[in-house]
Amino acid sequence: MNRVIDDPDQVTEGTLRGVLAAHPDLLVATDHPRVLRHAGDRPKGRVGIVTGGGSGHEPAFLGYVGPGLCDAVAVGEVFASPTAKSFHAAFKEADGGKGVACLYGNYAGDNMNVKMAAKLAAKDDITVRTVIANDDVASAPREEADKRRGVAGEILMWKAGGARAAEGADLDGVIASAQKAIDNTRSIGIGLSACTIPAAGKPNFTIEAGKMEVGIGHHGEHGIAVLPVAPAKEMAGLMLERILADLEFGGEDVSVLVSGLGATPLMELYLLYGHVDEILRAHRITPRFRFVGNYFTSLEMAGVSVTVTRLDEELDRLLRAPARSIGLTVAG
Amino acid sequence: MAETVTLADAAPIATEIGAVIIENQGLLSEIDGATGDGDHGINMAKGFRLANERLGKKSFDLREGFATIGDTLLGDIGGSMGPLYGSFFTDMADSLEGSDKLDRDNFAAMLTAGEAGVVDLGEAKVGDKTLIDVLVPARDAFAAAAKDGKDFAASLEALKAASAEGLESTRDMVAKLGRAARLGERSRGTLDAGACSANLILQALADGLLKRLHAA
């Protein structure tokens, strides 16, 4: 695979340099080389929001730092959790005296590093509470929802938590809203080709030509079925079938997010969205918020993910609130 | 044969452990490549190389050596192995607070503290095909030998044997946690890379202590 890189072991460093050079109005470097902070004022007198995760998912995670979203981000190596010290440094950057909400995805490495970092932060008298996204319906059965991985649904969690913090809610309130957002969100992906960690040089999983993996994870984790590639309409049907079976609807409106995994053209994402919209409306479910684009990727994996969030009055208000970042801007 | 080693005399063991990990970088990555992403050796060697560089610039005893290793792994190695081994060494160092020597009983307590740190963080159980499958039987064998009245050296020999057996036991296990878990049944038949590095660490630690117990 031909890539636009320098030293394969320095891809993360190079990416951070570029992001900082491109978005000085949004992001600034900190004393910790793997932590970026929002360029504006520190969150004085309100709850700070931190996220973090491996690189290779851009615009996640650093692309969701900005007003109305996250205050600081810990950046890991490609597909690897940030270190405990990185999360700890991010907590310090985001602390405005009212506690820090760490909103991240359910992966073994992230769980351990956040846990260690929260212990370190306790010694600095910073209160850290977490919401752990687990929106991927394909990664474990419903009875084992705590084992499910976090994927693109994390964006809705950041949006809800960030908006609530901006409203001035206390840490309990911010945590409750972020948790509510993720509890009402379900995602599923379809992978069409593998991806390669630059430093590894070869993919550590494969998807055969002509096949698609339904339910694939953001790092190539196994899905629930490998099938011949189907028309977009059938893909939309397969994905929504799993999501709707998992999330019980009582006539609520929804937010829908269709994200490319990296190598799938925007054209195809819109094509898929057309089918998703139609199927939802046929189920008498109205998409009130619609996001189509490369919101949460997996290097150059081809494929797509669909994320549906069931809305109530509060989530509607929080999603509508103004926000600005590389990945998501809401005019308000 | 001595029954104790001072932490000052045992200090070089901290860098000897790192040297063993660095020497076995290729082996660890090769084992990891069979079921995971093949970076275990790279990450572990990177962490211990940094720790040994830092230790090369100061004088330290074994407790401070372990604290530096723990700090380096927590600070510079992400993923799962940084916090797991970072906790292992940090918690062992914490348990030595206030001691100036190692004997059979505080070694048992140190190992228990390190193992508890790993279990608390990783939530793995024996049989899940992880480093726990080495740490738990090694700790138990040492404690059992000590309870039988064996001396420090004999108890360390029991630990070495149980650690090696624990590593071998992972060959026939199916991975339940971590990246290898996605392979399910296909993870059977290969050793676990984390168990392999845990065995290298325990063997180097026990060998280092035995050498000094025999020399005294």
Side-chain angles (χ1 to χ4, degrees):
Chain A
M1 155 109 196
N2 298 331
R3 318 195 76 109
V4 187
I5 62 169
D6 303 303
D7 178 350
D9 290 323
Q10 301 288 318
V11 172
T12 303
E13 285 80 358
T15 304
L16 290 181
R17 253 195 318 275
V19 165
L20 286 166
H23 301 284
D25 55 323
L26 271 174
L27 291 162
V28 289
T30 67
D31 292 341
H32 192 296
R34 294 302 178 87
V35 174
L36 304 185
R37 181 172 65 80
H38 174 229
D41 292 338
R42 281 168 191 254
K44 244 187 223 112
R46 68 163 171 84
V47 171
I49 309 278
V50 165
T51 191
S55 297
H57 301 297
E58 290 70 20
F61 294 78
L62 49 77
Y64 296 96
V65 171
L69 285 157
C70 303
D71 295 290
V73 61
V75 181
E77 281 297 332
V78 177
F79 287 4
S81 166
T83 66
K85 292 250 167 98
S86 304
F87 273 113
H88 178 216
F91 295 160
K92 288 200 269 194
E93 292 294 337
D95 179 46
K98 297 286 179 186
V100 172
C102 182
L103 314 179
Y104 70 101
N106 192 21
Y107 295 90
D110 295 290
N111 285 333
M112 289 182 215
N113 285 296
V114 169
K115 200 164 163 183
M116 287 301 301
K119 268 195 211 173
L120 297 172
K123 290 181 190 166
D124 309 324
D125 287 323
I126 299 174
T127 307
V128 177
R129 289 185 54 199
T130 60
V131 177
I132 309 172
N134 60 338
D135 51 305
D136 184 352
V137 291
S139 51
R142 205 174 170 183
E143 312 80 69
E144 294 176 27
D146 61 332
K147 289 192 180 150
R148 287 178 171 175
R149 296 181 293 262
V151 286
E154 292 181 45
I155 296 162
L156 287 303
M157 168 179 74
W158 297 323
K159 182 72 184 75
R164 197 73 205 284
E167 285 179 353
D170 65 6
L171 188 54
D172 284 346
V174 171
I175 291 289
S177 293
Q179 187 71 56
K180 184 191 226 180
I182 206 69
D183 285 347
N184 283 284
T185 296
R186 300 290 186 278
S187 301
I188 188 168
I190 288 185
L192 302 172
S193 73
C195 58
T196 298
I197 297 172
K202 57 179 188 345
N204 76 321
F205 69 103
T206 50
I207 299 173
E208 278 176 59
K211 293 283 163 67
M212 63 180 193
E213 187 154 348
V214 180
I216 197 160
H218 271 177
H219 315 90
E221 295 96 333
H222 267 309
I224 43 184
V226 177
L227 303 171
V229 173
K233 189 174 182 175
E234 279 176 42
M235 289 186 191
L238 272 172
M239 290 195 279
L240 286 175
E241 191 187 327
R242 301 294 298 209
I243 289 174
L244 297 182
D246 211 86
L247 194 61
E248 285 150 16
F249 283 91
E252 298 93 340
D253 287 356
V254 295
S255 154
V256 182
L257 186 150
V258 169
S259 179
L261 295 182
T264 293
L266 197 48
M267 184 184 83
E268 295 174 22
L269 303 182
Y270 276 109
L271 196 155
L272 182 86
Y273 181 77
H275 292 302
V276 168
D277 193 279
E278 194 175 288
I279 295 169
L280 286 172
R281 287 178 197 279
H283 281 83
R284 301 184 178 287
I285 297 168
T286 307
R288 200 187 295 171
F289 298 88
R290 298 157 296 272
F291 306 98
V292 182
N294 289 304
Y295 284 91
F296 206 130
T297 63
S298 300
L299 293 169
E300 78 281 20
M301 204 192 298
V304 63
S305 69
V306 173
T307 299
V308 178
T309 305
R310 189 173 56 185
L311 299 171
D312 66 359
E313 217 171 287
E314 180 192 353
L315 289 176
D316 179 272
R317 180 185 87 239
L318 297 174
L319 291 193
R320 237 171 252 290
R324 194 165 63 88
S325 67
I326 298 170
L328 179 69
T329 293
V330 178
Chain B
M1 175 99 65
E3 279 300 305
T4 66
V5 183
T6 68
L7 295 184
D9 286 346
I13 295 173
T15 51
E16 286 165 21
I17 291 172
V20 168
I21 292 292
I22 293 161
E23 195 183 317
N24 286 282
Q25 171 176 343
L27 173 76
L28 291 174
S29 280
E30 194 186 311
I31 291 172
D32 188 35
T35 55
D37 36 17
D39 62 357
H40 185 56
I42 302 169
N43 285 334
M44 291 292 285
K46 182 179 159 197
F48 279 94
R49 207 171 276 129
L50 268 170
N52 281 5
E53 271 169 31
R54 281 168 199 172
L55 289 173
K57 289 178 196 145
K58 57 182 180 189
S59 67
F60 59 93
D61 66 11
L62 188 66
R63 186 189 67 77
E64 291 155 341
F66 281 177
T68 300
I69 294 173
D71 215 43
T72 304
L73 297 177
L74 283 177
D76 297 285
I77 304 299
S80 301
M81 287 302 145
L84 285 171
Y85 281 120
S87 300
F88 181 66
F89 283 100
T90 302
D91 291 354
M92 287 203 300
D94 286 351
S95 90
L96 293 176
E97 196 76 53
S99 309
D100 59 3
K101 60 180 175 45
L102 264 183
D103 59 25
R104 192 189 64 186
D105 294 343
N106 74 347
F107 180 86
M110 176 184 88
L111 208 55
T112 299
E115 183 264 348
V118 173
V119 168
D120 178 45
L121 203 54
E123 294 166 4
K125 297 183 294 294
V126 170
D128 287 348
K129 196 173 179 122
T130 70
L131 70 171
I132 291 294
D133 292 304
V134 164
L135 296 183
V136 168
R139 179 207 59 184
D140 288 350
F142 187 92
K147 202 172 161 222
D148 286 350
K150 301 251 174 71
D151 65 12
F152 194 5
S155 302
L156 285 169
E157 294 291 356
L159 173 149
K160 279 171 61 69
S163 172
E165 275 173 40
L167 168 61
E168 197 48 44
S169 77
T170 64
R171 191 185 297 279
D172 199 39
M173 291 176 188
V174 174
K176 306 260 168 48
L177 294 164
R179 289 275 156 86
R182 68 184 290 280
L183 293 175
E185 271 298 323
R186 280 183 287 158
S187 65
R188 203 189 289 280
T190 54
L191 296 173
D192 176 64
C196 192
S197 54
N199 179 54
L200 289 172
I201 289 167
L202 290 183
Q203 298 291 348
L205 172 59
D207 285 341
L209 287 169
L210 283 168
K211 193 166 85 184
R212 285 156 184 94
L213 286 170
H214 286 302

